[in-house]
Amino acid sequence: MARYSEWLLERRFRLVVVVVIQFAVVVTCVGLTAYAAARVQERQVREAMTERVLAVARSLAELDQVRDAIGSGDAEQELQPLTELIQQASGVDYVVISDARGIRITHPVPAERGRPVSTDPSDVLAGATFVGTEEGTLGPTLRAKVPVYRGGLVVGAASVGVLESEIAADLRSSLTAMAPWVLLAMVVGLTGAAGVSAAIGARVRRLEAENAELGEQRRLSRALREQTHEFRTRIHAVYGLVESGESDAALEYLAELAPVTGADTRDGGVEDPRLRAVLGEMAAEYRSRGGRLEIDPLTSTSAGELGADDVSLIANLVINAVEAAGPGGHVHVLVLADEVGTEVAVGDDGPGLDPEALPMMMEHGYSTKAPGGEHATRGVGLAVVWQIVRDRDGEIEVGRSPAGGALVTVRLRRRR
């Protein structure tokens, strides 16, 4: 029992380990996929913002109104409304136009107008275009700076920017929209992993059961081969003694192999000497244990009508009935044999048998009794019976005897 508990605990532990590994793989895969998607989304948001600020800055720098107004006395009054309109329409955070000295003409904050730009404007005023993140008066911004040309000369610069905080907010919004899909993928993955684990567990259990059954069949087959070999050896010894005319020695040898308790005289109707000897010995042995093996008065077995397999079948049925009834029980046997066939009915007063369990009862190794004891190898008798029934194209029925136990009835056709 302790070994079975250890085996069961070990099997459950292996199953838990498999489930944990599968869940870890699913979570890791979904997590890495979500991380990669987030990075892709971040890059796409930043690329979109970069294209927007650069496109707005270039469009602004190419306006004739901007080119003509820079350097004039009323540049601020003319350009500030324009930059505010462009800022609102394009969704950027600021639009700044500066002159050739780097002095701001327009700015969202009025106090910053007329003051030098916060970053070095020399490269842009030299004709270069800049796109990147810089720290400005409004905070870190992704900005684009484009030179403004008039007559082939740089007369100023157009700067358009978006706050990094706004980009981060847009990214958070995108990731929030993606979160339900990540959770859905996680649930589907974990559910699938659980289903796979259940299927694998069921398959493993079936394989273990089949392996255990195969092992039991091999053990029984090996035991039967050993018993058959030993039985043949003893039969050869008995045959040799009888053939040599040493009947007394043969009887002594048989008494050593199977001590005889004395034949029972209540075996009327059993004319076949082999069956009479087998049932007589069984009756005497069972009587020594307080039980009663009763041969039905209607039993009729003419000499020569029973074959070796008939005797083997009856003996196995009686053995199973005696074991089912137990010490002090009652077993009833009826045998009818003629030129047509053989009918055997063996009943007992034991706990009975379930007719629906008949297919399992006919398998090698099946037994309702606990293992061990004087009959260490269980589940052979009924399997032998079933093999004989199949070989003889017979039939077997399981019912309830008048004494309340099992009643097994077998009908066999005569061998041709």
Side-chain angles (χ1 to χ4, degrees):
M1 186 65 181
R3 282 168 48 181
Y4 174 76
S5 300
E6 292 177 0
W7 172 81
L8 185 61
L9 184 62
E10 181 181 357
R11 191 180 73 175
R12 290 178 177 175
F13 176 75
R14 292 199 305 266
L15 181 60
V16 170
V17 170
V18 172
V19 172
V20 170
I21 292 176
Q22 288 182 333
F23 278 23
V25 170
V26 170
V27 172
T28 301
C29 291
V30 174
L32 291 176
T33 302
Y35 174 77
R39 295 303 302 268
V40 171
Q41 186 70 17
E42 179 184 11
R43 186 172 65 251
Q44 290 177 345
V45 169
R46 185 167 293 277
E47 289 176 353
M49 288 296 182
T50 300
E51 292 176 359
R52 182 190 303 179
V53 295
L54 182 59
V56 173
R58 284 175 173 170
S59 299
L60 182 64
E62 293 174 358
L63 290 177
D64 292 336
Q65 181 180 358
V66 174
R67 294 171 178 172
D68 296 338
I70 293 177
S72 64
D74 56 351
E76 178 181 346
Q77 289 77 14
E78 185 175 352
L79 296 180
Q80 184 61 40
L82 176 64
T83 56
E84 291 177 355
L85 179 62
I86 292 175
Q87 178 180 333
Q88 293 177 359
S90 60
V92 297
D93 290 318
Y94 76 84
V95 177
V96 173
I97 298 176
S98 58
D99 59 17
R101 297 175 300 161
I103 303 300
R104 299 188 185 97
I105 300 174
T106 66
H107 196 279
V109 179
E112 297 296 331
R113 300 167 193 164
R115 301 180 60 183
V117 294
S118 57
T119 56
D120 184 9
S122 57
D123 290 340
V124 178
L125 293 177
T129 298
F130 171 82
V131 179
T133 299
E134 290 183 332
E135 183 75 28
T137 57
L138 300 179
T141 56
L142 174 64
R143 59 185 65 182
K145 301 176 184 178
V146 177
V148 178
Y149 288 91
R150 185 175 60 204
L153 298 176
V154 177
V155 294
S159 178
V160 178
V162 177
L163 291 172
E164 287 287 346
S165 59
E166 292 294 332
I167 297 176
D170 288 345
L171 179 61
R172 283 194 300 271
S173 178
S174 299
L175 295 180
T176 301
M178 187 175 64
W181 297 101
V182 174
L183 294 176
L184 178 61
M186 191 80 71
V187 170
V188 172
L190 294 178
T191 302
V196 171
S197 298
I200 292 176
R203 179 58 178 168
V204 168
R205 287 192 294 272
R206 285 197 299 271
L207 291 176
E208 289 177 344
E210 292 174 359
N211 184 60
E213 181 180 358
L214 181 59
E216 179 64 17
Q217 290 178 352
R218 287 175 176 172
R219 185 181 69 83
L220 289 172
S221 177
R222 184 167 56 252
L224 288 174
R225 284 197 302 270
E226 293 173 355
Q227 292 177 5
T228 301
H229 177 73
E230 183 179 2
F231 178 75
R232 287 179 176 175
T233 301
R234 291 174 177 177
I235 289 296
H236 289 161
V238 173
Y239 181 82
L241 291 173
V242 173
E243 187 180 33
S244 301
E246 301 179 16
S247 57
D248 292 339
L251 290 175
E252 290 178 2
Y253 180 66
L254 289 174
E256 292 177 1
L257 296 179
V260 178
T261 57
D264 195 300
T265 58
R266 290 172 292 179
D267 55 357
V270 183
E271 299 178 17
D272 187 274
R274 294 168 300 174
L275 181 60
R276 184 168 60 248
V278 170
L279 292 181
E281 173 59 23
M282 286 183 173
E285 195 277 332
Y286 193 37
R287 187 170 60 252
S288 68
R289 295 164 52 196
R292 184 163 64 97
L293 175 59
E294 177 187 1
I295 308 301
D296 194 289
L298 297 178
T299 292
S300 174
T301 60
S302 302
E305 295 295 345
L306 293 177
D309 52 356
D310 294 272
V311 177
S312 176
L313 179 140
I314 296 170
N316 278 286
L317 287 177
V318 173
I319 290 173
N320 278 277
V322 167
E323 290 186 355
H330 176 219
V331 175
H332 182 273
V333 181
L334 171 63
V335 180
L336 299 174
D338 54 26
E339 67 279 0
V340 177
T342 303
E343 181 173 346
V344 182
V346 179
D348 60 65
D349 59 354
L353 295 174
D354 182 5
E356 295 183 358
L358 183 60
M360 284 191 302
M361 289 189 288
M362 296 306 164
E363 295 180 2
H364 273 292
Y366 176 87
S367 177
T368 58
K369 309 171 195 64
E374 60 176 330
H375 301 285
T377 302
R378 299 280 191 181
V380 177
L382 287 177
V384 172
V385 169
W386 180 238
Q387 185 63 48
I388 295 174
V389 171
R390 288 192 299 180
D391 291 344
R392 295 277 293 277
D393 194 20
E395 57 184 30
I396 184 170
E397 296 179 1
V398 175
R400 185 165 294 277
S401 71
L407 175 62
V408 180
T409 304
V410 176
R411 299 177 185 88
L412 302 176
R413 300 187 182 202
R414 177 66 51 222
R415 283 191 180 275
R416 296 179 181 179

